[in-house]
Amino acid sequence: MAKALLKIQRYFRRKPVRFFSLILLYLTAGSLVFLHSGFVGDSGPGGRGGRDSLAVAEMGSRTSSSGTRGLGIMSRVFKETRRSGRRYGPPWMKKTGQQGQETEGRGGDYTSNWNRALKGRNAKDMDDGRAKYIGCYIDDTQKRALRGVSFFDYKKMTVFRCQDNCAERGYMYAGLEFGAECYCGHKIQAPNASESECNMDCKGEKSNLCGGANRLSIYRLELSQESARRYGSAIFKGCFHRPDNVTLALPFSSVIQNMSVDKCVDMCTEKEKSLAVLAGDRCYCGFPTPLFSLHELEDEDMCLHRCHTEEFESCGNDDYFVVYQTQVQDNRCMDRHFLPTRAKQLVALASFPGAGNTWARHLIELATGFYTGSYYFDGSLYNKGFKGERDHWRSGRTICIKTHESGRKEIEAFDSSIIMIRNPYKALMAEFNRKYGGHIGFASQAHWRGKEWPEFVKNYAPWWASHTLDWLNYGKNVHVVHFEELKRDLFSKLKGMVQFLGLKVSEDRLLCVEGQKDGNFKRSGLRKLEYDPYTSEMRANINELIRTVDAALKKRNMSGVPEEYMPR
């Protein structure tokens, strides 16, 4: 025995042998710990791991109107939910109290899950009286529990963010699903589910739960309910002449005693229509169509027929209708797909950063039904629904490709291009906000007042001009769109973009886009600067750049920059 020990001792005295032996022991121990944690987190078909597999399968079957998931997202969601499974273990292994009793299967005690859920939600969302958690609900991908607007963020979704978005639009309910999806609505159209089924952590805050696989954690928005009784949930669209075929243009109508704006809006919201139209004591509901496009606005005096019980509200009359847009989402333009066959030409959607490229992509995808691509890869945009973001820009599966490049070689790689141009004063500020605050965030006051802003303007302002000049010079087939004109006349400008892309124009889709043109990529404007960040020297330089671009456009027989660009 002593001889054996002596031999082992001599063996480990040799440094290389000793070093590699210790590494081998370390790796073996780590592997055993990893395997053990995996079995604890994912054991059994009823455990978290079983639901994770189901979640991934259901992700693949979701319709494009709910945001189609790519294989990359499915893989990432699978990995993240498996990690949370290891962290908490299967439901039947959770203790329910001090006595250490164990639950058994679906019919067991869910007190532990309920308490954990309420603890996370109470931490921030219920103390301020903004929202009240009301339970976990089943959500069917074919027939949603909450049927208003929706948005997704697979990295930064939080309970408060979802509530805030729904409340801002006047909805009564906000629901979170799959850790990253937010749905809004005025009523819940689904049955309850067990609290244990809303078991996924929010992607942006692990302390809170954001539903589960086809399960919604739903909150009642107290402030939203109050504002909805006013006009917080409806947008006034104006006064319009009665359409020629009113029953075809607005298929649902009803006579309402003591008509008011609230009553008509509530009825059309209940009927899941995006337009509430008041015509005396009759309320019409429908969607914008070529028969009633809302493009020919009348003088509001033509609609001055007071509601019977509301002194300051106008209810329209038989010939002139008062129109409000409800918070019901128009789904006619929400489906999006990759191109069925490889594109024969590569079309660039080119712009200086901050000129509205992301917004233009949103509009093009809704108007055409096809995904847009990108010369780059932005994970945050992919997580927000731009599924073409991960495709290689030469894949031919997307309708056009975002790019900020301005080199001759990069420009000549495209067969044609849509060039987005924006007022440089606005574009520079937008890009500065994006650079320091994200796509819908804001730069801090410290960034604006520090050395970052002057340095940014010095470097980026010349690029604003050179970008447009290069594309005008080297681009093969160029279609110029000014951001401000697209905002003012979205229907006709977007129609021109669709035609330039070689697609047949669907007026119904374009009218649908008009009703939800902002998407999830608009800054709220609540943090606008209270001072002019541009110095007189900055303005002199930028004004000269504007004149240069204006002259280059006119040289190509195009209209110059919009009047608001020009120096005063």
Side-chain angles (χ1 to χ4, degrees):
M1 182 67 182
K3 288 183 178 181
L5 292 173
L6 184 61
K7 286 181 178 180
I8 293 173
Q9 186 182 15
R10 287 175 178 172
Y11 176 79
F12 279 105
R13 277 179 183 172
R14 285 177 279 177
K15 287 185 178 180
V17 173
R18 185 165 65 244
F19 176 74
F20 287 111
S21 298
L22 289 173
I23 288 179
L24 182 61
L25 288 170
Y26 176 79
L27 293 174
T28 303
S31 299
L32 289 172
V33 171
F34 178 79
L35 288 171
H36 176 265
S37 65
F39 282 121
V40 170
D42 299 311
S43 56
R48 183 83 174 231
R51 280 195 297 273
D52 291 340
S53 300
L54 173 63
V56 174
E58 289 170 335
M59 284 284 283
S61 66
R62 289 168 185 260
T63 60
S64 58
S65 63
S66 302
T68 306
R69 282 85 168 157
L71 292 175
I73 274 294
M74 291 168 65
S75 174
R76 184 158 71 249
V77 170
F78 182 75
K79 291 175 183 176
E80 288 172 0
T81 50
R82 287 181 70 90
R83 281 200 294 273
S84 63
R86 289 196 294 271
R87 188 168 128 199
Y88 297 114
W92 60 80
M93 296 183 67
K94 295 181 181 179
K95 304 251 178 121
T96 58
Q98 296 292 334
Q99 292 76 16
Q101 296 174 346
E102 296 180 352
T103 61
E104 296 181 2
R106 292 183 59 86
D109 184 1
Y110 292 98
T111 306
S112 177
N113 286 336
W114 173 257
N115 289 339
R116 177 174 174 262
L118 289 186
K119 182 179 179 181
R121 293 177 179 113
N122 281 334
K124 179 171 66 175
D125 301 303
M126 296 182 70
D127 290 344
D128 61 6
R130 180 185 183 86
K132 179 181 179 182
Y133 176 71
I134 60 172
C136 182
Y137 287 78
I138 295 172
D139 191 35
D140 187 339
T141 57
Q142 303 301 320
K143 199 172 184 181
R144 291 292 180 189
L146 296 175
R147 301 179 188 175
V149 299
S150 61
F151 73 100
F152 315 128
D153 193 329
Y154 293 96
K155 274 196 173 181
K156 298 181 181 179
M157 180 62 73
T158 66
V159 171
F160 180 79
R161 185 180 174 200
C162 179
Q163 292 173 349
D164 193 48
N165 273 271
C166 294
E168 184 181 332
R169 291 163 172 80
Y171 285 105
M172 294 185 184
Y173 298 100
L176 296 110
E177 181 174 339
F178 216 80
E181 303 175 1
C182 177
Y183 297 88
C184 311
H186 287 290
K187 66 176 182 176
I188 304 170
Q189 303 184 65
N192 282 94
S194 167
E195 282 303 312
S196 66
E197 296 178 43
C198 286
N199 54 16
M200 288 189 179
D201 292 327
C202 302
K203 296 297 183 184
E205 52 179 356
K206 298 301 182 183
S207 60
N208 276 346
L209 295 176
C210 286
N214 283 3
R215 296 295 182 267
L216 280 170
S217 299
I218 295 183
Y219 294 82
R220 186 184 185 93
L221 305 176
E222 305 294 352
L223 296 180
S224 170
Q225 185 183 7
E226 297 288 330
S227 64
R229 299 273 56 84
R230 300 189 292 274
Y231 302 132
S233 64
I235 301 169
F236 176 69
K237 302 297 289 184
C239 176
F240 298 89
H241 192 273
R242 178 191 179 98
D244 293 335
N245 191 336
V246 68
T247 55
L248 190 60
L250 300 166
F252 185 88
S253 69
S254 178
V255 173
I256 299 179
Q257 290 186 341
N258 299 322
M259 172 69 83
S260 69
V261 174
D262 283 338
K263 289 180 180 178
C264 187
V265 168
D266 286 348
M267 185 186 83
C268 294
T269 299
E270 179 78 16
K271 299 297 181 184
E272 299 182 26
K273 300 293 188 290
S274 66
L275 293 184
V277 182
L278 292 88
D281 60 353
R282 183 172 290 275
C283 174
Y284 292 93
C285 305
F287 293 101
T289 66
L291 294 174
F292 195 55
S293 66
L294 307 187
H295 287 162
E296 298 178 6
L297 196 65
E298 301 285 349
D299 191 311
E300 288 185 31
D301 290 342
M302 304 301 294
C303 288
L304 286 181
H305 177 77
R306 297 300 176 195
C307 302
H308 294 302
T309 58
E310 301 291 339
E311 182 180 356
F312 301 105
E313 290 184 6
S314 178
C315 279
N317 52 60
D318 289 342
D319 294 321
Y320 292 93
F321 294 172
V322 175
V323 180
Y324 285 85
Q325 181 178 316
T326 73
Q327 289 297 307
V328 174
Q329 181 169 280
D330 186 346
N331 288 321
R332 293 176 297 170
C333 58
M334 295 307 293
D335 60 303
R336 288 167 290 169
H337 311 277
F338 288 103
L339 292 173
T341 57
R342 184 183 174 89
K344 295 179 180 179
Q345 291 193 327
L346 291 177
V347 183
L349 179 62
S351 76
F352 171 79
N357 201 307
T358 301
W359 180 55
R361 290 178 67 185
H362 164 75
L363 298 177
I364 290 170
E365 290 194 359
L366 295 189
T368 65
F370 296 116
Y371 288 122
T372 59
S374 177
Y375 193 80
Y376 323 97
F377 168 65
D378 187 328
S380 66
L381 291 181
Y382 180 86
N383 291 331
K384 287 180 172 66
F386 287 104
K387 300 307 178 187
E389 191 76 15
R390 269 197 174 168
D391 266 38
H392 189 275
W393 65 280
R394 285 186 177 277
S395 71
R397 296 207 307 159
T398 53
I399 193 64
C400 62
I401 298 100
K402 162 192 171 178
T403 180
H404 299 311
E405 301 300 309
S406 55
R408 178 172 184 173
K409 179 180 177 181
E410 289 80 6
I411 293 173
E412 291 181 345
F414 292 95
D415 300 295
S416 57
S417 58
I418 297 173
I419 304 177
M420 290 285 297
I421 305 176
R422 186 180 187 183
N423 186 326
Y425 289 104
K426 301 291 186 182
L428 288 168
M429 292 178 71
E431 174 58 11
F432 190 72
N433 275 320
R434 187 208 64 79
K435 186 177 178 67
Y436 291 100
H439 283 283
I440 57 174
F442 294 87
S444 68
Q445 288 291 327
H447 288 128
W448 285 106
R449 295 187 181 277
K451 62 181 182 181
E452 292 91 347
W453 171 244
E455 191 69 21
F456 178 85
V457 174
K458 178 182 177 181
N459 294 326
Y460 276 66
W463 182 17
W464 174 86
S466 65
H467 181 278
T468 300
L469 297 175
D470 285 348
W471 278 93
L472 290 175
N473 190 25
Y474 303 124
K476 299 171 185 174
N477 181 21
V478 175
H479 179 75
V480 173
V481 177
H482 292 282
F483 175 88
E484 291 77 11
E485 293 178 350
L486 182 61
K487 285 186 68 176
R488 277 195 297 267
D489 189 10
L490 186 142
F491 187 90
S492 65
K493 296 299 180 183
L494 186 56
K495 181 178 180 179
M497 293 166 74
V498 174
Q499 290 172 331
F500 181 80
L501 291 169
L503 298 176
K504 184 179 179 181
V505 174
S506 166
E507 290 198 11
D508 280 342
R509 287 193 78 101
L510 291 177
L511 291 168
C512 170
V513 176
E514 282 189 312
Q516 44 206 356
K517 59 186 178 183
D518 290 335
N520 300 318
F521 308 100
K522 180 183 178 183
R523 291 182 176 88
S524 66
L526 299 177
R527 292 177 56 186
K528 289 182 179 178
L529 289 178
E530 297 177 356
Y531 66 95
D532 183 359
Y534 292 100
T535 65
S536 57
E537 182 182 356
M538 291 177 184
R539 286 188 170 275
N541 292 332
I542 293 172
N543 289 344
E544 187 59 36
L545 295 172
I546 291 173
R547 294 187 187 97
T548 303
V549 170
D550 182 64
L553 288 169
K554 290 176 179 176
K555 188 177 180 181
R556 287 282 300 260
N557 295 321
M558 300 177 181
S559 59
V561 299
E563 186 65 25
E564 61 257 44
Y565 290 23
M566 299 304 292
R568 295 289 182 266

